[in-house]
Amino acid sequence: MLALRGRLRQERAAFQRLFSEWASLDAVKISGSNPAQAYNLVNGEWHLPKKSKPLIDPFNGEDFMKIPDPQVDEIQPYVESLRKVPKTGLHNPLKNPERYNLMGDVSFNAARELHKPEVADFFAQLVKRLSPKSYAQAMLEVTVTRRFLENFGGDSVRWHARSFGVSGDHAGQESHGYRWPYGPVGLITPFNFPLEIPALQLMGALFMGNKPLAHVDHRVSLVFEYFIRMLHHCGLPKTDVDFIHGNGRVVGELLTQAQPRSILFTGSGKVAEKLAEDFRGKVFLEDAGFDWKILGPDVADVDYVAWQCDQDAYACSGQKCSAQSMLFVHENWAKAGIEDKLKQRAAMRNMKDETIGPVITWTTKAMLDHAQNLQKLPGSKLLFGGKELSGHSIPECYGAIEPTAVFVPLKEILKDEESFKLATTEVFGPLQVVTHYTDAELPLVLEATERMNAHLTAAIVSNDIIFNHKVLGHTVNGTTYVGRRGRTTGAPQNHWFGPAGDPRAAGIGTPEAIRLVWSCHREIIHDFGPAPTDLSALKPN
């Protein structure tokens, strides 16, 4: 016990030292002569591979931090670390159950850390510096993570891993259903939510008894490194998680050699499908989301709805997997001037307050070319935007365009497969497609939603119950917001968030999501007797 307390004191001291270093650098001004150095974690030890590579500043193109760049010949420690994890996990309902209490304590302590204004500000500044977004958006990410940790502090971990019992056929027989860990697992997440997504999924994996190998997009992975360091400070054993910065090719080879029993992937659809193939379906996926919003026939609160549409389409420069990609506008909303109000809202965004900024995965040219191609469809037109941002120093490898909307007639969207593919291409940036419909054309709207491949989020902005039930009954999006305040983005910690319509679909944020993604069902039937005494009645069947 004394040794454990000593180790925890050392972890706390290390975290406070690192925190102080970053606070003094002001996390927003990392650059030049004093670049930050990220580290990998394996078998409880932070270390560096032979090489590190510079990461360029998304705002000016300068080198401003160093990221480990491990090569294939350096992955063996990670492979061995995962391979030695038993299939029964680090804990389960019958093995090391005291670890459920440990995980509850870690969650509680981490939430308490994020309640400290200086720690919350530290993570918010770090998030917005690496994954460009406004301070308000970055702080929301910190808040959601903190609330999630609060939800699972104390006994909540073991409560949501609870089992159930069913009576048997005779005395002494009873069946029990348990939530069982997978053991060694993989966790791969993207750049756009560098704290919230990996933190919630990592904690879910740990709660259920798994040991994860975590990998976050290298452009933002430093955020998660510091979250893991904070967890160590809060009592998490250092050997419970392995964490690797680096490129996808090397991580892919690592996973191929280690063969984790399950992988959670959040990111692009192409990578998701490759993982599903390479690991024979042992994956849970939250992949691409071409997310739609339908404005119903009943018009009210036009200014508010315009504000929410602007938030859904352009917050974080459109770099949310739940961003509003297509807006179906009922003719009544068009007559009420919703598009003019959208244009006015979009014009308020600027780089000074970081409500618009660098796009990480699409270049300026690629986004503007896509907007031009949309306008080539008959009857299409640019509603607003369609230009490069002015007065910036964003490097060419990233994108920088004004909030953009292109109107495309509904019948042109559905005309043929080529037009539909063009209109429903997910642009991970501030660009959306807008179209109109009438009451008689609602079946065409529903046809469009049926033909889409990604079914992550959706919104039905209407208080008309019959209309809502009609649309809900003919759509499948996993997280659908309904009512006058319906949105596509937001994903708080108080509800399930994830796609639907695919057996591999992942979830995040709730006990149900954690049970689905990070545990499997195991049935144990106890049959202790007494054995029957009249053996003559026992005949072969």
Side-chain angles (χ1 to χ4, degrees):
M1 182 59 72
L2 290 175
L4 176 60
R5 288 176 179 170
R7 183 176 59 78
L8 291 179
R9 281 196 297 271
Q10 290 176 353
E11 287 300 331
R12 292 189 184 99
F15 176 73
Q16 292 299 333
R17 183 177 66 255
L18 289 163
F19 173 78
S20 298
E21 290 173 359
W22 268 86
S24 66
L25 287 172
D26 183 7
V28 180
K29 300 177 181 177
I30 323 162
S31 65
S33 61
N34 190 21
Q37 172 68 64
Y39 287 80
N40 289 338
L41 173 68
V42 65
N43 289 317
E45 298 291 335
W46 293 102
H47 76 103
L48 289 174
K50 296 174 184 177
K51 296 181 181 178
S52 289
K53 61 183 179 182
L55 182 68
I56 67 168
D57 189 321
F59 290 94
N60 58 31
E62 296 178 358
D63 293 349
F64 79 135
M65 64 188 331
K66 296 179 181 178
I67 297 295
D69 187 24
Q71 304 301 303
V72 171
D73 62 0
E74 297 177 286
I75 64 175
Q76 199 57 32
Y78 298 90
V79 173
E80 293 174 357
S81 179
L82 275 189
R83 283 179 176 174
K84 69 182 181 183
V85 180
K87 296 176 182 178
T88 53
L90 303 181
H91 63 266
N92 61 53
L94 304 180
K95 184 182 83 170
N96 300 330
E98 63 276 6
R99 279 179 51 90
Y100 289 115
N101 289 332
L102 171 64
M103 292 301 140
D105 290 343
V106 170
S107 189
F108 177 87
N109 292 336
R112 184 170 56 188
E113 284 294 324
L114 291 181
H115 260 293
K116 296 177 181 177
E118 67 274 18
V119 177
D121 178 72
F122 166 72
F123 277 107
Q125 295 282 10
L126 193 53
V127 165
K128 86 181 191 72
R129 191 64 183 84
L130 296 175
S131 178
K133 58 183 72 175
S134 68
Y135 183 82
Q137 286 285 324
M139 185 56 80
L140 279 174
E141 193 171 335
V142 177
T143 301
V144 167
T145 303
R146 190 200 76 222
R147 288 177 174 170
F148 171 87
L149 293 167
E150 291 170 342
N151 288 343
F152 292 97
D155 283 327
S156 186
V157 172
R158 61 180 170 191
W159 280 343
H160 82 260
R162 71 178 64 188
S163 60
F164 64 86
V166 179
S167 61
D169 292 332
H170 51 258
Q173 186 187 77
E174 185 178 17
S175 61
H176 287 267
Y178 293 96
R179 298 312 302 178
W180 215 254
Y182 291 104
V185 295
L187 167 59
I188 305 174
T189 62
F191 76 91
N192 55 336
F193 287 89
L195 177 64
E196 179 183 339
I197 294 177
L200 270 58
Q201 294 290 16
L202 175 78
M203 298 308 291
L206 292 171
F207 293 160
M208 301 311 292
N210 304 287
K211 175 172 179 174
L213 168 74
H215 172 69
V216 181
D217 187 296
H218 71 279
R219 290 164 289 199
V220 299
S221 51
L222 189 68
V223 177
F224 199 52
E225 176 184 326
Y226 276 85
F227 180 75
I228 294 174
R229 290 181 183 275
M230 187 184 76
L231 293 181
H232 293 165
H233 161 66
C234 293
L236 180 73
K238 291 182 73 173
T239 53
D240 276 17
V241 179
D242 291 336
F243 174 62
I244 186 167
H245 301 272
N247 68 69
R249 179 185 64 84
V250 172
V251 175
E253 180 61 27
L254 191 169
L255 293 172
T256 298
Q257 292 187 30
Q259 286 295 306
R261 296 188 31 91
S262 181
I263 296 173
L264 178 282
F265 174 79
T266 305
S268 81
K270 290 182 179 179
V271 177
E273 292 301 330
K274 186 175 189 312
L275 283 171
E277 181 178 345
D278 290 347
F279 293 93
R280 304 182 302 283
K282 295 186 294 185
V283 294
F284 287 97
L285 307 174
E286 184 197 317
D287 55 358
F290 188 87
D291 307 300
W292 49 262
K293 180 184 288 182
I294 297 173
L295 304 184
D298 49 322
V299 178
D301 306 307
V302 179
D303 288 328
Y304 173 80
V305 171
W307 173 84
Q308 186 63 69
C309 286
D310 173 78
Q311 287 291 105
D312 288 342
Y314 304 125
C316 300
S317 300
Q319 297 171 102
K320 294 185 179 183
C321 50
S322 55
Q324 176 182 298
S325 300
M326 182 171 285
L327 181 63
F328 295 94
V329 178
H330 190 278
E331 61 177 345
N332 295 344
W333 283 92
K335 293 174 183 176
I338 188 69
E339 289 161 345
D340 287 338
K341 292 187 178 295
L342 283 173
K343 182 177 180 180
Q344 293 169 13
R345 281 285 173 186
M348 297 171 66
R349 295 184 173 273
N350 60 82
M351 288 193 63
K352 186 175 181 180
D353 61 10
E354 298 177 321
T355 52
I356 197 70
V359 173
I360 302 300
T361 56
W362 280 63
T363 64
T364 299
K365 183 179 185 305
M367 288 187 286
L368 294 181
D369 285 349
H370 184 71
Q372 289 290 335
N373 290 333
L374 287 170
Q375 292 172 65
K376 292 176 183 178
L377 295 172
S380 301
K381 61 181 179 180
L382 181 70
L383 294 178
F384 53 83
K387 299 177 182 178
E388 181 176 356
L389 290 173
S390 60
H392 70 82
S393 54
I394 297 170
E396 290 186 2
C397 59
Y398 295 145
I401 69 167
E402 297 176 352
T404 299
V406 179
F407 172 82
V408 181
L410 181 57
K411 290 185 178 180
E412 289 300 320
I413 292 174
L414 296 169
K415 181 174 64 176
D416 53 42
E417 193 59 36
E418 184 178 353
S419 298
F420 187 79
K421 183 178 180 180
L422 174 62
T424 58
T425 295
E426 182 187 15
V427 177
F428 219 57
L431 191 156
Q432 65 173 321
V433 172
V434 178
T435 192
H436 294 171
Y437 75 101
T438 64
D439 288 335
E441 291 175 317
L442 180 59
L444 296 181
V445 173
L446 298 178
E447 179 187 342
T449 65
E450 174 72 16
R451 286 172 60 180
M452 294 176 191
N453 293 320
H455 301 291
L456 183 55
T457 70
I460 307 165
V461 181
S462 173
N463 283 354
D464 183 330
I465 294 177
I466 294 176
F467 177 85
N468 288 341
H469 281 200
K470 172 79 170 180
V471 177
L472 287 170
H474 289 80
T475 55
V476 301
N477 291 54
T479 304
T480 306
Y481 301 86
V482 185
R484 183 79 70 229
R485 299 184 66 171
R487 62 193 194 276
T488 65
T489 65
Q493 75 297 329
N494 65 345
H495 67 67
W496 167 283
F497 185 84
D502 188 329
R504 306 164 301 177
I508 191 173
T510 64
E512 293 80 11
I514 292 172
R515 283 193 287 264
L516 171 74
V517 175
W518 297 114
S519 70
C520 58
H521 181 91
R522 185 186 187 189
E523 193 80 7
I524 298 176
I525 298 89
H526 298 283
D527 204 344
F528 296 109
T533 57
D534 185 6
L535 300 182
S536 64
L538 300 179
K539 297 180 180 179
N541 293 322

